[in-house]
């Protein structure tokens, strides 16, 4: 073990950190740190210098534009994440409290009131039982004989009910009766004394809040890669948690190809709690996998050869949650465990547990966090113990006597104020005596042989503290690759460093950001808005671990990085070493639409290439149409998925044009696109549809008909088929359907912005006119228009009075973009083609009659046809009115007072429910 | 609305910065440079009292971009840095220092020297602790460059030693370099820190002019002053100095003993062990055994043949002489519960045999003596050795069989 002959210069002082600051946005850039002469011979004229923070390193380029799903989505019953507004005061009280109290104002009264309402039995059960004879709640008076031990509570109840109504009233005050009652009953009414309960709830909420700010549970990460025994084999095993509560442990064999794929089904173990951390190390040719959940830690042995089954060895239970589990890289079956009570144990599967330290206080200065960490060092009997204030080495043979301060948050490492240790890691595979220490601001490399002075320090500029790290050691002369990963923001950073042996440790090359799971969103096929939102939430779940594999095939090297989310989804991405790459891309400044490195594109027969070149051509033309075209995304009925026409796949390959200033290569490789689609399909299948938590609850008019009532018995109609055919054709041609008029289909290709329905409101018409510059003309028209309009309005009113019935209001909903979805779902089920935002008058050709007429087919409205469809007599009239609305004058809707329109626009929740309970279909949708 | 304006301004500034960072982290330097030109406008309104104002951000980001940008050369870089120097008094020294680092790394030593001299004479702004440190560092680097010039002159002189007509000017120049270097280097090594390179240069200067006493003092101060961090190199330098000057074995041993206490896994421990083994004193030989056992505790030495052969030799010596088997016993006592799994497993026997036969021979010898002939490691290696018809291994087997009582004593 060589030690560098000269180290980089640095000054050393002791004491608390002096450097005030905090997260500075660009602090990691632009510094060489220090320089050192590199290999100067005595007779050499030129002295060469190397910097501590080098600018040139190996270049690792991402092979794809985004991370790719590796496994199908985890079937998790996923709850939306806790948001700050769930537990904080949000009212005027909040402002008041904020002024007086520093720190979060936790809304525990809301939680308490929920508890009282939802679980009255638990809250007031026994007293309720005792008193229910003595409390009279009826309207009648209390009978004379019972009056001795019964009181009438009706007035009190009324008072309580009135409280609700008075909410929001500035002058609200509690009625004296209520105050009297609460004062009287406060001490005895509650099952659990209210003060105690409130304390506990408050405490819990504060904990939740702390967890929301920073959750150290997943520290270390719950993803591990076990390489195959012979390094040449392109296989390995991925260990990850999954299942509904993330309590299943999976060992999945993986074949590494261009894209990694799972082989066979994984070995599965069901555990007794949510898996927080998976740690693995290889000793004597066998992998040992440690698994940490809150109160249990377990160890598995996995033989090195592929296909051998993992065997569980031992489990320990802790009374306090464990915060750390690391596996010894030196001695088989040895682990280190820390609990939040401040205890550190060495755990050997043969010899059991040995407590090395128990100290509820932190090491170097006082910090409230109970988090502890422990890892191995170059000496198999010496462990490094960490808390938020620093690291200490202690010898397991004499833990009380042999201690050594390895890293201290303080002036020694020139830390900033408020800096805390987030994750220590033993870097033994790069150099036996190196350790990584990350804080929320910086990353340090510490050498055991030079304690307290970090041999490398770099401000990582990550938005969230790095909780995960992975080391890929480099061959001699090459750099070690260090991946840092954050949980909440899913950030991943690739760093390279060298040295530790002969040469001093130094950073080589600029840091590099890797793709995140969230970044995949734009590469998924476009979704309906609520699904898009849900997908966004799903992809945005904090990360829970990372792992990486270095693959060497000939001169090419690639680094495969896996990222696990807290929902149990695993995504992967590949970085390739530039030098070895045959087609070296200039580092991404000008993204080309040309296909990337995927071998699929080399096949001349494959379509995306063609599509890509076409797109380029169109781009040259600078036709507005192109942007529409590349936006064209099609959602297809799921049942159709099997025999999906090829052009649809093509259509999905085009990506939306760069809306953000982020330049990303435009085309995904087909294999990748396929993975996205499969993943999405599996997601909607597995995770079920109805309990969309984010679905906005809407209310409105009651639905008129059920779907069955309007459905024809005879399958999809001719019209339906025609519409579908036309749409396919349009997509094949890359055009669009301007209106559903079948005759007109060939005429115009360019979609103008939807004309406002004639005179929806005068203001917008006027503004439009003013915009285009002929405002005066508008005024002329307007004055003449008013005359005719008044006449027409009079006529209209008379006609309406004649009819004087029916709810015509639905027509209004067509003018609303808010509601077209749900309306659409019902309408298209009737066999009518979907709406485009063009006026409904044009948009709806009647069923079964190819030459369209502006009036709905009489046949549809005839009472006979309605009877055939099984629509009850009393509803037929309404239906006729309902459908008749379409034929009415376009001037009609604007006459409704605007407030009424908006009220009526909202579709009924019932209708939504009904469409949701049907087999939900993705419908063709265009132009949005 | 002015508040709102300010808010929006801040927001767009932040967004711009995010874009820059994003581009840089994806190595899109051209794009980052474009954004930076927008961001530079933010400087006009820099009233922020933040820890890091826009001017520092621009300096840092600009430097980084210029280092990677395909169209930038030294000229652009220098002009950018010159601008940056005028932006802030507080950062002047830091920017100067970093600038000289850049010049040094690009081989422009003379320019770097000029830069450092300029920075040294900077007299503006208030005096702070950080500033003092920075100026000391600037002077130290200047001293270092002076040292390099000195050593260049020295080499010229040494080469032309034979020529009598050597003019005095070269020598004088050399001496002036010496004075300049010595003054500055002497200053920096008084401050606690890791100053390996400065100490080495300073000691070299002193030794050349025959000031050994001063050199010894500097080195022992650097190694033993408790205000300095526990830097193994400081002890190494001291040891090397002692060795160069032919100091007694005793002082060498005591210097290495301290290094052993600090870093038991240091590579000098092998030398230390051989030195101790040769010693006539029992105490030293005992220490030698401790040292070599301690070295092999570390994962980094696990497969080092030299270390294993040192241990094997000493163990063998003890067994043959039958003088102090209790030494082995005592050393083994604290290792018996983990060395077998760490060093002598069946897996390792196979692996060592495949990869390095001589390593497995040395290890098998130690294993055989300490753990007996039934030890997995010994059994595998001796079996394979006998199969391969290696005489060495047959002798080994005989030797171990002969000394079973030692093993019984150790394990008993």
């Amino acid at each position: 073990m060589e030690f560098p002959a000269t180290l980089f210069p640095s000054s050393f002082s002791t004491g608390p950190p002096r450097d005030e600051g905090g997260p500075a946005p660009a602090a990691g850039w632009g510094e060489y740190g220090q320089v050192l002469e590199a290999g100067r011979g005595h007779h050499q004229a030129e002295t060469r210098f190397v910097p501590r923070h080098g600018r040139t390193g190996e270049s690792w380029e991402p092979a794809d534009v985004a991370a790719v799903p590796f496994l199908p989505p985890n079937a998790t019953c996923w709850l939306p994440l806790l948001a700050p507004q769930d537990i904080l005061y949000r009212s005027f009280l909040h402002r008041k409290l904020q002024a007086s109290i520093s720190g979060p104002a936790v809304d525990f009264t809301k939680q308490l009131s929920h508890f009282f309402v939802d679980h009255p039995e638990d809250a007031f059960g026994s007293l309720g039982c005792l008193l229910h004879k003595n409390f009279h709640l009826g309207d009648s008076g209390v009978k004379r004989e019972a009056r001795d031990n019964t009181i009438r509570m009706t007035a009190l109840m009324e008072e309580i009910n009135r409280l609700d109504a008075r909410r929001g009233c500035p002058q609200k005050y509690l009625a004296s009766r209520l105050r009297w009652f609460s004062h009287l009953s406060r001490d005895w009414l509650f099952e659990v004394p209210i003060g105690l309960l409130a304390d506990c709830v408050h405490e819990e909420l504060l904990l939740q809040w702390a967890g929301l700010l920073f959750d150290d549970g997943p520290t270390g990460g719950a993803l591990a890669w076990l390489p195959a025994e012979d390094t040449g084999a392109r296989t390995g095993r991925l260990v990850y948690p999954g299942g509904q509560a993330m309590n299943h442990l999976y060992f999945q064999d993986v074949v590494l190809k261009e894209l990694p794929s799972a082989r066979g089904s994984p070995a599965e173990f069901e555990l007794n709690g949510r898996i927080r951390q998976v740690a693995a190390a290889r000793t004597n040719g066998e992998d040992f996998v440690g698994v940490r959940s809150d109160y249990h830690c377990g160890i598995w042995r996995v033989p090195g050869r592929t296909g051998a089954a993992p065997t569980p060895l031992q489990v320990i239970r802790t009374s306090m949650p464990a915060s750390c589990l690391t596996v010894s890289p030196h001695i088989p079956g040895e682990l280190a465990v820390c609990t939040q009570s401040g205890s550190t144990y060495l755990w050997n599967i043969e010899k059991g547990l040995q407590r090395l330290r128990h100290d509820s206080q932190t090491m170097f200065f006082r910090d409230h966090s109970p988090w502890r960490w422990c890892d191995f060092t170059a000496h198999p009997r010496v462990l490094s113990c960490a808390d938020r204030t620093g690291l200490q080495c202690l010898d397991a043979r004499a833990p009380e006597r042999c201690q050594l301060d390895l890293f201290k948050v303080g002036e020694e490492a020139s830390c900033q104020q408020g800096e805390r240790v987030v994750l220590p890691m033993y870097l033994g595979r790069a150099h036996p005596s190196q350790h990584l220490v990350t804080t929320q601001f910086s990353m340090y490399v510490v050498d055991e042989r030079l304690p307290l002075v970090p041999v490398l320090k770099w401000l990582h500029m990550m938005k969230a503290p790095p909780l995960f790290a992975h080391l890929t050691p480099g061959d001699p002369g090459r750099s070690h690759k260090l991946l840092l990963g954050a949980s909440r923001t899913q950030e991943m950073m690739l760093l390279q460093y060298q040295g530790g042996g002969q040469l001093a440790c130094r950073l080589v090359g600029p840091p590099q950001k890797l793709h995140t799971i969230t970044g995949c969103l734009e590469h998924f096929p476009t979704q309906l808005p609520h699904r898009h939102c849900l997908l966004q939430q799903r992809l945005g779940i904090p990360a829970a671990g990372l792992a990486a594999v270095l693959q060497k095939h000939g001169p090419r090297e690639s680094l495969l990085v896996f990222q696990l989310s807290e929902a149990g989804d695993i995504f992967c991405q590949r970085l390739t070493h530039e030098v070895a790459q045959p087609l070296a891309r200039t580092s991404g400044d000008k993204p080309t639409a040309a296909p990337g490195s995927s071998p699929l594109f080399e096949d001349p027969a494959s379509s995306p290439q063609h599509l890509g070149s076409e797109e380029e051509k169109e781009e040259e033309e600078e036709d507005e149409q192109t942007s529409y075209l590349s936006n064209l995304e099609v959602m297809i009925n799921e049942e159709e998925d099997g025999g999906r026409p090829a052009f649809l796949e093509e259509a999905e390959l085009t990506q939306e044009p760069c809306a953000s200033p982020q330049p990303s290569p435009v085309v995904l490789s087909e294999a990748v696109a396929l993975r996205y689609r499969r993943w999405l399909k599996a997601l909607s299948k597995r995770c079920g549809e109805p309990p969309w938590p984010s679905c906005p609850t809407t209310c409105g008019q009651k639905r008129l008909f059920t779907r069955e009532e309007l459905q024809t018995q005879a399958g999809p109609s001719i019209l339906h088929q025609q519409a579908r055919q036309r749409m396919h054709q349009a997509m094949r041609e890359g055009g669009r359907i301007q209106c559903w008029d079948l005759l007109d289909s060939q005429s115009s290709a360019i979609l103008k912005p939807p004309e406002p329905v004639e005179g929806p409101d005068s203001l917008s018409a006027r503004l439009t006119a003013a915009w285009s510059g002929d405002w005066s003309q508008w005024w002329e028209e307007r004055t003449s228009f008013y005359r005719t309009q008044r006449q027409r309005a009079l006529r209209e009113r008379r006609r309406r009075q004649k009819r004087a019935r029916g709810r015509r209001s639905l027509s209004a909903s067509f003018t609303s973009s808010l509601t077209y979805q749900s309306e659409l779902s019902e309408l298209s089920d009737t066999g009518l083609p979907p709406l485009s935002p063009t006026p409904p008058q044009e948009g709806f050709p009647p069923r079964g009659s190819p030459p369209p007429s502006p009036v709905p087919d009489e046949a549809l409205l005839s009472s006979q046809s309605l009877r055939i469809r099984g629509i009850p007599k009393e509803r037929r009239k309404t239906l006729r009115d309902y459908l008749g609305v379409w034929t009415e004058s376009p001037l009609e809707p604007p006459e409704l007072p605007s407030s009424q329109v908006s009220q009526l626009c909202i579709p009924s929740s019932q209708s939504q429910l009904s469409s949701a309970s049907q087999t939900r279909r993705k419908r063709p949708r265009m132009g949005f | 609305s002015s508040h709102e304006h300010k808010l929006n301004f801040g927001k767009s500034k932040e967004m711009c910065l995010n874009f820059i960072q994003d581009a840089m982290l994806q190595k899109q330097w051209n794009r980052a440079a474009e954004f930076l030109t927008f961001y530079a406008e933010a400087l006009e309104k820099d009233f922020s009292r933040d820890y890091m104002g826009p001017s520092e951000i621009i300096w840092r980001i600009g430097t980084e971009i210029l280092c990677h940008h395909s169209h930038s050369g030294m000229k652009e870089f220098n002009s950018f840095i010159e601008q940056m120097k005028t932006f802030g008094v507080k950062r002047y020294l830091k920017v100067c220092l970093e600038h000289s680092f850049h010049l040094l790394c690009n081989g422009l030593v003379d320019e770097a020297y000029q830069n450092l001299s300029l920075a040294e004479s900077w007299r503006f702004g208030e005096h702070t602790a950080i500033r003092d440190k920075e100026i000391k560092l600037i002077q130290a680097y200047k001293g270092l460059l002076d040292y390099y010039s000195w050593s260049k002159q020295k080499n010229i002189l040494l080469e032309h030693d034979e020529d009598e007509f050597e003019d005095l000017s070269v020598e004088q120049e050399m001496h002036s370099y010496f004075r300049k270097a010595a003054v500055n280097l002497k200053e920096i090594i008084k401050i606690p820190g890791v100053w390996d390179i400065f100490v080495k240069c300073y000691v070299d200067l002193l030794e050349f002019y025959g000031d050994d006493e001063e050199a010894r003092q500097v080195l022992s101060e650097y190694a033993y002053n408790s205000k300095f961090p526990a830097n193994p190199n400081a002890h190494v330098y001291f040891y090397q100095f002692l060795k160069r000057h032919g100091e007694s074995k005793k002082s060498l041993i005591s210097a290495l003993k301290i290094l052993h206490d600090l870093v038991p896994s240091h590579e000098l421990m092998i030398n230390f062990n051989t030195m101790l083994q040769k010693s006539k004193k029992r105490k030293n030989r005992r220490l030698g055994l401790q040292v070599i056992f301690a070295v092999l505790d570390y994962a980094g030495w696990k497969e080092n043949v030299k270390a294993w052969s040192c241990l094997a030799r000493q163990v063998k010596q003890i067994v043959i002489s039958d003088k102090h088997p209790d030494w082995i016993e005592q050393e083994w006592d604290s290792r018996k519960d983990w060395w077998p799994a760490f060093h002598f497993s069946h897996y390792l026997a196979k692996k060592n045999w495949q990869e390095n036969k001589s390593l497995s021979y040395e290890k098998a010898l130690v294993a055989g003596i300490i753990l007996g002939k039934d030890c997995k490691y010994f059994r595998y290696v001796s079996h394979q050795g006998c199969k391969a018809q290696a005489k060495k291994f047959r002798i080994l087997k005989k030797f171990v069989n002969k000394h079973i009582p030692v093993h019984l004593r150790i394990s008993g």
Side-chain angles (χ1 to χ4, degrees), chain B residues 1-109:
Chain B
S1 73
S2 105
H3 174 70
E4 199 174 299
H5 175 74
K6 233 184 251 171
L7 216 71
N8 286 340
F9 182 70
K11 235 182 236 168
S12 52
K13 224 168 73 178
E14 198 188 310
M15 212 157 86
C16 188
L17 189 62
N18 280 339
F19 284 148
I20 298 174
Q21 292 254 51
D22 240 38
M24 289 174 83
L25 286 171
Q26 292 174 40
K27 299 188 185 173
Q28 296 161 348
W29 306 109
N30 287 336
R31 235 165 67 82
E34 277 170 40
F35 282 124
L36 184 64
T37 51
F38 298 127
Y39 187 78
E41 288 162 25
L43 251 188
E44 283 176 39
K45 291 209 171 192
D46 180 16
F47 301 120
S48 58
R49 262 172 280 152
D50 292 348
Y51 166 63
M52 187 183 281
S55 55
E56 178 161 2
I57 291 174
I58 289 172
W59 165 58
R60 285 180 178 278
I61 289 177
T63 313
E64 191 77 34
I65 290 174
L66 283 173
C67 281
H68 296 286
H69 202 286
S70 46
H71 300 306
S72 89
M74 197 42 101
K75 210 174 127 200
E76 286 83 5
F77 190 89
N78 287 343
S79 75
F80 174 76
I81 292 293
E82 289 308 326
Q83 271 179 303
M84 285 300 118
K85 281 179 189 171
T86 56
F87 270 166
V89 180
K90 267 199 240 164
R91 268 177 304 281
Y92 180 82
L93 292 179
K94 175 118 182 154
V95 175
C96 277
L97 194 60
E98 285 290 330
H99 189 196
S100 356
F101 288 162
H102 184 80
L103 295 167
L104 282 177
C105 291
N106 285 285
L108 303 166
V109 180

Side-chain angles (χ1 to χ4, degrees), chain A residues 620-681:
Chain A
E620 280 165 32
E621 284 167 21
E622 281 195 15
D623 195 341
E624 187 195 358
Q625 202 175 338
T626 2
S627 66
Y628 281 99
L629 171 65
S630 38
N631 253 337
L632 180 118
E633 281 296 342
V634 184
M635 297 303 304
I636 288 296
N637 289 347
E638 257 161 17
E639 55 258 45
E640 241 180 79
D641 230 299
R644 222 165 160 208
F647 64 87
L648 288 183
E649 315 243 311
E650 283 178 27
E652 286 188 5
L653 287 176
T654 60
Q655 289 304 307
E656 62 177 65
C658 270
S660 72
Q662 192 81 5
S664 52
V666 189
V667 183
L668 281 179
S669 82
E670 184 159 18
V672 173
L674 191 69
R675 283 210 175 190
Y676 282 124
R677 280 201 304 273
R678 283 202 187 133
W679 193 87
L680 195 63
K681 206 172 127 189

Side-chain angles (χ1 to χ4, degrees), chain A residues 80-274:
Chain A
L81 295 172
L82 187 73
Q85 61 263 29
D86 295 340
I87 52 173
L88 292 186
Y89 273 116
R90 266 196 309 170
S91 57
F92 68 100
L93 239 172
H94 169 57
R95 284 189 292 277
K96 261 191 188 171
L97 282 169
Q98 242 187 0
S100 58
I101 308 167
S102 61
V106 177
D107 191 359
F108 68 99
T109 51
K110 188 167 86 184
Q111 303 295 332
L112 274 181
S113 67
H114 286 325
F115 173 65
F116 293 149
V117 172
D118 295 342
H119 306 277
E121 282 301 314
D122 300 324
F124 315 106
S126 43
L127 254 299
C129 273
L130 283 175
L131 290 179
H132 88 273
K133 277 181 194 155
N134 308 80
F135 280 11
H136 179 71
L137 296 172
D139 283 330
S140 57
V142 183
K143 279 179 197 147
R144 178 177 292 272
E145 58 270 26
R147 209 169 273 174
D148 287 346
N149 46 11
T150 306
I151 51 170
R152 191 163 171 266
M153 300 296 280
T154 319
L156 194 73
M157 290 299 289
E158 278 165 2
E159 204 76 62
I160 289 173
N161 289 339
R162 238 175 282 144
L163 261 185
D164 257 347
R166 225 190 278 137
R167 194 151 287 169
C169 170
Q171 298 207 323
K172 75 172 171 189
Y173 54 92
L174 285 176
S176 57
R177 198 195 296 268
L178 273 177
R179 227 169 36 205
W180 161 79
F181 184 72
S182 73
H183 187 74
L184 198 70
S185 65
R186 169 170 288 171
D187 292 337
W188 50 263
L189 183 65
F190 302 95
E191 204 82 334
V192 182
I194 183 72
L196 190 67
L197 190 64
D199 268 354
C200 292
V201 170
H202 188 255
E203 196 181 325
E204 170 62 24
L205 284 182
L206 278 181
L207 274 179
Q208 296 265 358
W209 174 247
L212 203 63
L213 292 178
F214 175 58
D215 183 14
D216 57 21
T219 307
L223 191 63
W225 173 262
L226 314 177
E229 195 164 22
D230 50 333
T231 44
R234 295 195 193 167
T235 54
R237 206 172 271 185
L238 200 64
V239 189
Y240 58 93
Q244 293 221 321
M246 294 288 271
N247 64 334
H248 289 248
L249 183 70
Y250 294 98
F251 295 80
Q252 172 72 59
D253 281 328
V254 178
V255 185
L256 301 170
K257 290 179 290 191
E258 200 67 14
L259 287 169
S261 57
R263 185 173 63 190
S265 53
E268 185 181 343
F269 296 88
E270 190 180 344
L271 309 188
N272 215 350
R274 185 189 175 86

Side-chain angles (χ1 to χ4, degrees), chain B residues 233-372:
Chain B
N233 278 344
H235 299 271
V236 174
Y237 298 157
F238 189 57
Y239 164 74
Q240 284 167 345
F241 176 84
L242 295 177
K243 214 175 155 192
R244 267 203 303 273
H245 291 266
E247 296 280 334
S248 68
K249 269 259 159 65
K250 200 180 158 193
S251 55
L252 288 180
I253 286 175
S254 73
L256 284 180
K257 174 80 172 52
I258 294 168
L259 183 61
H260 165 71
D261 290 340
L262 278 177
V263 186
S265 63
H266 199 277
E267 56 187 318
L268 277 183
M269 291 305 117
I270 299 293
N271 301 5
F272 189 35
N273 170 263
T274 36
M275 196 192 291
L276 292 169
Q277 254 186 310
K278 281 179 202 155
S279 167
K280 292 202 175 70
K281 281 186 189 162
R282 249 183 40 201
K283 205 179 93 192
N284 283 345
R285 288 207 304 278
R286 170 93 209 254
L287 181 64
L289 190 69
Q290 278 173 4
V291 167
I292 196 67
F293 260 109
V295 161
L296 284 168
D297 280 349
Y298 285 87
W301 288 99
K302 211 175 161 180
E303 280 164 13
N304 190 297
V305 189
K306 211 170 167 192
W308 278 107
S309 71
C310 281
L311 178 65
R313 195 166 60 222
Q314 199 165 2
V315 166
K316 203 170 156 185
Q317 227 173 47
I318 290 170
V319 170
I320 289 170
S321 67
D322 200 23
K323 261 188 186 154
H324 298 285
D326 55 314
W327 292 357
I328 304 177
E329 197 186 321
Q330 277 164 25
E331 288 305 317
W332 184 247
D333 198 45
S334 65
R335 295 179 171 87
K336 64 182 173 204
D337 57 338
W338 58 280
W339 266 43
F342 184 53
H343 284 309
F344 303 129
S345 67
H346 185 69
Y347 174 84
L348 281 175
K350 255 200 306 209
K351 192 169 165 252
N352 292 155
W353 177 257
Q354 272 168 14
E355 288 168 3
N356 193 341
K357 302 257 182 327
S358 53
L359 171 71
S360 59
Y361 171 79
E362 307 289 354
K363 277 179 80 174
L365 177 61
V366 177
I369 291 172
I370 296 175
L371 289 165

